[in-house]
């Protein structure tokens, strides 16, 4: 199907070069800018109303209807179904949380958590990986590589193992990757290169290595990956019975997710499938706040596709001069040079967006609330919740707005951050959290040490649980 109606196009309006979807590029060959996957939509092949997607629910034995990405494939028609690589990604859920609503200052029933931790590799990255590996399959490029703060490598490694492809090559910054994620890359058999440097270094190196060795790059500058991540928005809509929420709130790292969301809403509106779009809030960690600084403090805007890149360049030079490196407990968003910066500016433009930064203290406290409310996420995901709290306190978000936070990754991704927070080991607290300015575990649920003695055990239970 479809190959003739899908193509790649440079996002720079002064270039706008186009390429076939069969080309493996990861950047405009003429000007180096980011590429989009764009479509000459065949309206006859599209549902007239979003409700029509519900027909796929009755065909759960069909992998393409089962997948939370490919059941919406009419909205990402760049690949023939016979090339699709799917492992059952996107079986995620949207759940209201009264506890978290109270914590952030929203009225009951107004806060929803979109739990992407339920994906096969435990993060939203699987939505994108199924799409970019389907493209890789289509063009016959199955030796893949990525740089990762952890979840991209876990997802890529899992997909390649499941598909029986050669081991992917994953680049991680040394000492920067959470244990749950590292354990996945190793267990699924990826060649794991621990670069002596941070994510921004790994990102630069993987691009150079991919070019030399003709590896298929699975990072979010791959535009096909972002096509898959649009499906997170489709599932949010589906769970809200196709009613557009007031706000989508997402943590911002490399800004692929925010970019994909903006594209999803833009296309849905253009196709007449929604009559309005939600506002978008992108939340940075204060220790990795490039987008916040540029957008909210320096006034950088999309500007019709011509953002002031000289301003961005000066900002990066300043980071270098001050030797400022990204530093946050939310390792998945510990990124100072987001590759999708321009596309994120476009998403903010489409969705009348805002950007905020939140401290590691606020992130961990929000994370504990998410867990106590019956879900559980990794630190980066909780930045979205902390961001809502901030935006409600600023009266940017109103208490009865309908707000959807994207919980990007599973709690078990980063057990050390969680145990350091709840535990009683002061040394561990200092080493993991204290050094990042976290002063207290506001909502700690301390483990209780008790002698191997029934009377002592009963006493402890009386004291702590049956008071
Ligand atoms: C990758 C990742 C992010 C950051 O997403 P971007 O698309 O890079 O902005 C946030 N949270 C988790 C859990 C992630 O794995
Ligand atoms: Zn170009």
């Amino acid at each position: 199907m479809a190959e003739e109606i899908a193509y790649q196009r440079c996002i720079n309006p002064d270039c706008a070069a186009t390429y076939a979807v069969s080309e493996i590029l990861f950047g405009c060959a003429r000007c180096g800018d980011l590429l989009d996957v764009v479509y000459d939509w065949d309206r006859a092949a599209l549902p007239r109303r979003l409700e029509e997607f519900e027909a796929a629910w009755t065909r759960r034995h069909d992998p393409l209807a089962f997948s939370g990405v490919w059941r919406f494939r009419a909205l990402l028609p760049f690949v023939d179904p016979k090339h699709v690589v799917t492992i059952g990604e996107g079986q995620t859920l949207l759940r209201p949380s009264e506890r978290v609503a109270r914590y952030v200052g929203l009225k009951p029933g107004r806060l929803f958590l979109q739990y992407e931790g339920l994906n096969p590799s435990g993060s939203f990255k699987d939505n994108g990986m199924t799409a970019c590996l389907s493209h890789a399959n289509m063009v016959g490029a199955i030796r893949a590589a990525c740089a990762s703060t952890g979840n991209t490598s876990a997802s890529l490694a899992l997909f390649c193992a499941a598909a029986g492809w050669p081991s992917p090559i994953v680049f991680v910054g040394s000492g920067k990757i959470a244990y749950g994620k590292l354990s996945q890359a190793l267990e699924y058999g990826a060649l794991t290169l621990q670069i002596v440097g941070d994510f921004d270094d790994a990102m630069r190196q993987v691009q150079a290595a991919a070019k030399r060795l003709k590896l298929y790059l699975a990072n979010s500058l791959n535009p096909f990956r972002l096509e898959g991540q649009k499906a997170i928005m489709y599932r949010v809509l589906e769970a809200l019975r196709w009613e557009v929420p007031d706000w989508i709130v997402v943590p911002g790292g490399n800004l692929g997710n925010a970019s994909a969301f903006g594209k999803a809403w833009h296309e849905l509106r253009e196709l007449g499938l929604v009559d309005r779009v939600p506002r978008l809030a992108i939340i940075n960690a204060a220790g990795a706040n490039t987008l916040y600084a540029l957008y909210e403090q320096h006034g950088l805007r999309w500007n019709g596709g011509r953002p002031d890149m000289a301003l961005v360049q000066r900002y990066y030079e300043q980071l270098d001069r001050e030797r400022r490196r990204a530093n946050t407990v939310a390792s998945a968003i510990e990124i100072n040079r987001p590759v999708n910066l321009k596309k994120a500016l476009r998403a903010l433009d489409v969705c009348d967006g805002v950007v905020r930064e939140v401290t590691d203290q606020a992130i961990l406290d929000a994370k504990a609330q998410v867990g106590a409310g019956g879900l559980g996420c990794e630190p980066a995901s909780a930045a979205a919740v902390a961001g809502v709290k901030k935006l409600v306190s600023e009266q940017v978000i109103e208490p009865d707005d309908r707000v959807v936070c994207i919980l990007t990754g599973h709690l078990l991704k980063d057990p050390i951050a969680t145990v350091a927070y709840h535990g009683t080991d002061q040394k561990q607290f200092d080493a993991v959290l204290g050094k990042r300015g976290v002063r207290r575990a506001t909502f700690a649920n301390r483990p209780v040490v008790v002698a191997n003695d029934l009377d002592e055990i009963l006493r402890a239970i009386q004291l702590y649980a049956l008071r």
Side-chain angles (χ1 to χ4, degrees):
M1 105 191 171
E3 194 161 327
E4 66 278 10
I5 69 156
Y7 51 99
Q8 304 183 72
R9 186 175 68 204
C10 176
I11 70 164
N12 174 2
D14 299 320
C15 171
T18 60
Y19 307 93
V21 288
S22 55
E23 291 199 57
I24 308 174
L25 287 160
F26 316 123
C28 178
R30 198 192 290 165
C31 78
D33 217 325
L34 296 167
L35 296 173
D36 269 329
V37 181
V38 292
Y39 307 98
D40 292 330
W41 296 101
D42 172 7
R43 304 253 170 167
L46 279 165
R48 275 158 308 133
R49 299 183 320 135
L50 288 168
E51 283 85 340
E52 290 175 30
F53 284 111
E54 294 178 8
W57 296 351
T58 61
R59 304 198 310 273
R60 289 178 67 80
H61 54 277
D62 167 2
L64 290 180
F66 180 73
S67 165
V69 172
W70 298 105
R71 72 170 176 268
F72 300 103
R73 67 185 177 281
L75 295 171
L76 50 149
F78 67 82
V79 61
D80 191 299
K82 72 171 187 272
H83 290 126
V84 166
V85 179
T86 174
I87 59 171
E89 59 288 328
Q91 309 305 315
T92 62
L93 55 78
L94 181 84
R95 199 197 278 168
S97 175
E98 297 320 316
R99 183 186 181 110
V100 177
R102 214 178 315 124
Y103 178 65
V104 300
L106 288 175
K107 291 201 175 138
R110 306 315 272 177
L111 182 85
F112 298 85
L113 300 173
Q114 172 68 17
Y115 192 31
E116 290 297 313
L118 289 178
N119 274 290
S121 81
S123 85
F124 78 83
K125 298 294 198 299
D126 293 351
N127 293 283
M129 208 51 72
T130 184
C132 88
L133 295 186
S134 297
H135 176 254
N137 196 28
M138 172 176 121
V139 298
I142 61 173
R143 177 66 93 155
C146 71
S148 180
T149 61
N151 280 331
T152 298
S153 57
S155 181
L156 177 61
L158 179 61
F159 270 88
C160 290
W165 287 8
S167 300
I169 300 155
V170 309
F171 291 55
V172 299
S174 56
K176 292 288 190 176
I177 177 171
Y179 258 43
K181 308 173 188 183
L182 180 59
S183 64
Q184 288 178 287
L186 298 174
E187 185 91 352
Y188 304 144
L191 170 60
T192 306
L193 300 179
Q194 296 190 290
I195 309 298
V196 183
D198 65 10
F199 175 82
D200 294 314
D201 298 318
M203 187 69 229
R204 199 166 44 241
Q205 296 295 1
V206 76
Q207 289 184 66
K211 197 172 262 173
R212 288 278 193 86
L213 302 175
K214 300 215 177 315
L215 305 172
Y216 186 87
L217 200 58
N219 278 101
S220 59
L221 45 79
N222 182 321
F224 296 95
R225 222 184 90 180
L226 301 193
E227 289 304 286
Q229 290 170 212
K230 294 190 305 191
I232 300 168
M233 293 298 97
Y234 308 150
R235 296 200 299 275
V236 164
L237 268 173
E238 180 179 58
L240 293 174
R241 299 317 304 268
W242 314 107
E243 276 182 34
V244 178
D246 298 309
W247 287 91
I248 299 288
V249 187
V250 63
N254 238 343
L255 302 175
N257 233 6
S259 301
F261 297 175
K263 187 169 188 283
W265 290 111
H266 175 75
E267 289 171 350
L268 287 173
R269 188 172 56 190
E270 200 169 71
L271 293 168
L273 291 166
V274 296
D275 51 16
R276 66 185 186 99
V277 302
R279 296 191 68 188
L280 178 67
I282 304 176
I283 312 301
N284 276 165
N289 66 349
T290 293
L291 183 67
Y292 173 74
L294 288 172
Y295 186 79
E296 296 289 349
Q297 297 178 324
H298 296 276
L300 182 69
R301 289 294 180 276
W302 169 241
N303 189 29
R306 298 178 184 87
D308 181 356
M309 294 311 282
L311 172 64
V312 177
Q313 201 47 47
R314 284 199 303 278
Y315 183 81
Y316 287 159
E317 282 163 11
Q318 186 187 342
L319 286 184
D320 285 343
R321 259 198 319 278
E322 296 172 3
R323 293 180 203 284
R324 202 134 51 88
R325 289 290 183 165
N327 182 14
T328 166
V329 69
S331 56
I333 53 174
E334 193 174 31
I335 295 173
N336 262 351
R337 293 170 188 258
V339 298
N340 289 297
L341 177 66
K342 265 191 167 182
K343 286 185 177 177
L345 293 172
R346 182 174 65 182
L348 289 162
D349 188 67
V350 168
C351 293
D352 186 19
V354 299
V355 184
R356 289 295 181 273
E357 58 169 1
V358 292
T359 62
D360 282 6
Q361 177 79 55
I363 287 172
L364 289 170
D365 288 342
K367 174 174 166 298
Q369 289 290 318
V370 170
L375 280 172
C377 65
E378 63 170 282
S381 316
V385 174
V388 175
K389 187 170 166 64
K390 184 168 233 184
L391 288 162
V392 171
S393 77
E394 293 174 4
Q395 298 174 307
V396 175
I397 294 182
E398 300 288 336
D400 55 35
D401 284 350
R402 275 178 123 194
V403 179
V404 176
C405 280
I406 312 301
L407 295 187
T408 46
H410 200 284
L411 172 67
L412 298 177
K413 291 286 191 173
D414 193 349
I416 290 177
T418 306
V419 173
Y421 184 87
H422 290 289
T424 51
D425 181 343
Q426 187 64 39
K427 262 215 217 91
Q428 188 182 36
F429 182 92
D430 291 342
V432 179
L433 307 177
K435 72 164 186 193
R436 295 197 158 106
V438 180
R439 288 288 153 260
R440 59 190 182 280
T442 317
F443 305 110
N445 175 32
R446 304 268 182 231
V448 176
V449 178
V450 61
N452 184 14
D453 174 279
L454 184 59
D455 286 337
E456 293 278 340
I457 290 167
L458 296 178
R459 225 188 329 272
I461 296 172
Q462 277 294 341
L463 183 60
Y464 290 103
L466 303 178
R467 266 176 303 187

